[in-house]
Amino acid sequence: MPLNIDPTDGNIVLQSDQVTYIHLSAFTASGAMVPNPTGDVDTVASSGPFAASLAFAVGVMPPGSSDPGDPCVVSTPLVLQSNKANAGGNIGLVITDSAGLVQQVTKNFDIAPDMTALTTGLDMTNSFTVSQAAPTAPGP
Amino acid sequence: MGATTIITLPETADAILAAVTENNVDRQILINNQTQMLQLLQQMQADQTTRSSNILGAISSLTKAVSDLGGNLSAQISENQATMGVLIQLFSAAITALTGVATIDLEQQILQAIERLGEGGPTGVGLDLSSVATRQQPQPTKSGP
């Protein structure tokens, strides 16, 4: 599935109710993807003023993805929203490689709540009552 | 008239003839010796000419060999310099790549760095944005940012 990219700044927009897995790979000088060197270990961390709003971890691509079992960066939003709308976002990703591979240029991240309507239903936490005359019909 | 001295001619003639004969023999020996000496000198001259020619040929061959050796040495030195240049670049890049890395065994780091420098080896790490998956999670309770 494609990532949601903010067209105004190129940031990757993560949905706050989703954990996002992005394939982590080694690249040659020409930009071709190749397997990581044997024994190579990557660690990741978020950076920037709102680093605490987004957790990064190294994991593996889940079953059903295009590269199951391959290393990936697991991105877990920790807040409902962190983007330009609330003067947050632009969270950086720092990759440290034990074999000394240099981090490729990586986009920054924003967090946005899911605003796409999929279903309809009652908000059971939000109700209000108004008195009326008792009905005359006995029921049921 | 005075007294006549009688000379016994035959004896004298014999002596003269013997002396002439002996002289002829000596002269022939001398001539032979001179001829041999001349031949020897001629042979020596011929030998000297051959020797000189051989020496000149040897000098020419030696000059060419030295020239060839110089050319080969020059080419070898150039090749070695190029090889050293590549090695210096390789190790310089390896050392650069290793700067700041201190989490694993140094030997392993060197091997990995050199391995990376080979054709097609990885030099960078990053995200493959074409391979993404998501899983639902509960909405975070913090509002942000």
Side-chain angles (χ1 to χ4, degrees), chain B residues 5-140:
Chain B
T5 300
I6 298 171
I7 298 173
T8 305
L9 190 55
E11 289 180 0
T12 302
D14 287 345
I16 290 170
L17 284 173
V20 169
T21 301
E22 186 179 355
N23 185 54
N24 276 343
V25 170
D26 291 342
R27 191 165 60 89
Q28 189 61 44
I29 289 172
L30 182 60
I31 288 169
N32 289 343
N33 287 344
Q34 285 174 340
T35 301
Q36 288 177 356
M37 180 61 75
L38 182 60
Q39 289 174 345
L40 180 62
L41 287 173
Q42 286 174 338
Q43 183 62 43
M44 285 176 67
Q45 186 180 23
D47 290 347
Q48 190 64 36
T49 301
T50 302
R51 195 172 293 117
S52 297
S53 177
N54 289 342
I55 288 171
L56 287 174
I59 289 172
S60 177
S61 298
L62 187 59
T63 302
K64 184 177 183 307
V66 169
S67 175
D68 291 347
L69 183 61
N72 289 339
L73 283 175
S74 179
Q76 188 66 46
I77 287 169
S78 296
E79 187 178 339
N80 287 346
Q81 283 176 336
T83 303
M84 284 303 295
V86 170
L87 285 174
I88 288 168
Q89 286 180 347
L90 283 172
F91 281 101
S92 174
I95 289 167
T96 301
L98 289 171
T99 302
V101 178
T103 53
I104 61 171
D105 174 66
L106 180 61
E107 183 180 349
Q108 182 70 13
Q109 292 177 40
I110 292 171
L111 288 174
Q112 288 176 347
I114 291 172
E115 184 180 324
R116 281 201 311 278
L117 292 169
E119 188 175 354
T123 59
V125 64
L127 299 178
D128 169 17
L129 300 181
S130 67
S131 178
V132 178
T134 58
R135 294 290 183 269
Q136 289 300 130
Q137 71 159 353
Q139 200 69 265

Side-chain angles (χ1 to χ4, degrees), chain A residues 1 3 16-21 23-29 34 38 53 61-63 66-67 73 76-77 79-82 86 88 98-99 101-104, chain B residues 97-98 101-104 108-109 112-113 115-116 120-145:
Chain A
M1 61 164 290
L3 283 166
S16 57
D17 61 351
Q18 286 182 340
V19 175
T20 303
Y21 303 78
H23 188 209
L24 181 63
S25 179
F27 293 85
T28 64
V34 292
T38 306
S53 298
M61 293 297 286
S66 56
D67 300 293
V73 172
T76 306
V79 298
L80 190 62
Q81 183 176 17
S82 183
N86 63 352
S98 66
L101 300 184
V102 179
Q103 178 178 347
Q104 303 284 90
Chain B
L98 289 171
V101 178
T103 53
I104 61 171
Q108 182 70 13
Q109 292 177 40
Q112 288 176 347
E115 184 180 324
R116 281 201 311 278
T123 59
V125 64
L127 299 178
D128 169 17
L129 300 181
S130 67
S131 178
V132 178
T134 58
R135 294 290 183 269
Q136 289 300 130
Q137 71 159 353
Q139 200 69 265
T141 54
K142 290 183 181 176
S143 59

